[in-house]
Amino acid sequence: MNTVLIILTIIVALLLVLLVMVQNPKGGGLSSTFGGGGASMGGVQNTNTFLDKSTWTLVIVMLVLILTTNILSDSGSSVNTKSDLKETLENRELINDVPAANTPAETPAETPALPGKTTEKKENSGK
């Protein structure tokens, strides 16, 4: 059901974009595109009235579709999001506390020798 509502919302949105693009803010709009000059008998006024009414109708339909989709999608979700989040965090902590099976046991890190100095005493070989 949600998929159908979302598809209808997208279709209404595309139609709304087309209607807004056809309208001309200076009053020309669709009627002037098809050769209707300023002297046509009611052509400009009727076209603008139709475009205005259809734009507002599509806006109302889109608002209703969006609200309906939101209401229907929330009806199946759980309210305990806080406890779900807490459970997820606890599971992550447990996973992080368990050592991986392939990692070797930790050994104390040896300090690297400085260049020119050695940690072992060299014995002189009697030359």
Side-chain angles (χ1 to χ4, degrees):
M1 180 70 176
N2 280 340
T3 307
V4 173
L5 290 173
I6 291 171
I7 290 172
L8 285 175
T9 304
I10 291 171
I11 291 171
V12 169
L14 292 174
L15 288 174
L16 189 60
V17 167
L18 289 174
L19 272 176
V20 170
M21 294 198 55
V22 166
Q23 293 178 6
N24 188 1
K26 296 180 182 170
L30 186 62
S31 62
S32 66
T33 304
F34 294 114
S40 63
M41 295 185 61
V44 174
Q45 187 62 33
N46 288 339
T47 304
N48 286 339
T49 303
F50 170 73
L51 290 176
D52 284 342
K53 286 182 181 181
S54 59
T55 301
W56 281 107
T57 304
L58 283 177
V59 167
I60 292 170
V61 168
M62 187 169 179
L63 181 67
V64 169
L65 283 172
I66 289 171
L67 290 175
T68 306
T69 305
N70 191 17
I71 290 170
L72 291 178
S73 67
D74 283 346
S75 65
S77 66
S78 65
V79 180
N80 290 331
T81 56
K82 221 176 213 185
S83 65
D84 291 341
L85 179 62
K86 189 175 181 180
E87 182 180 333
T88 303
L89 289 174
E90 288 174 355
N91 287 340
R92 284 188 183 170
E93 287 175 4
L94 290 175
I95 290 172
N96 289 338
D97 289 342
V98 175
N102 294 334
T103 57
E106 290 185 25
T107 57
E110 295 180 15
T111 57
L114 296 175
K117 293 184 179 180
T118 59
T119 56
E120 299 176 6
K121 291 184 178 180
K122 292 184 182 179
E123 294 182 20
N124 291 337
S125 57
K127 278 191 174 178

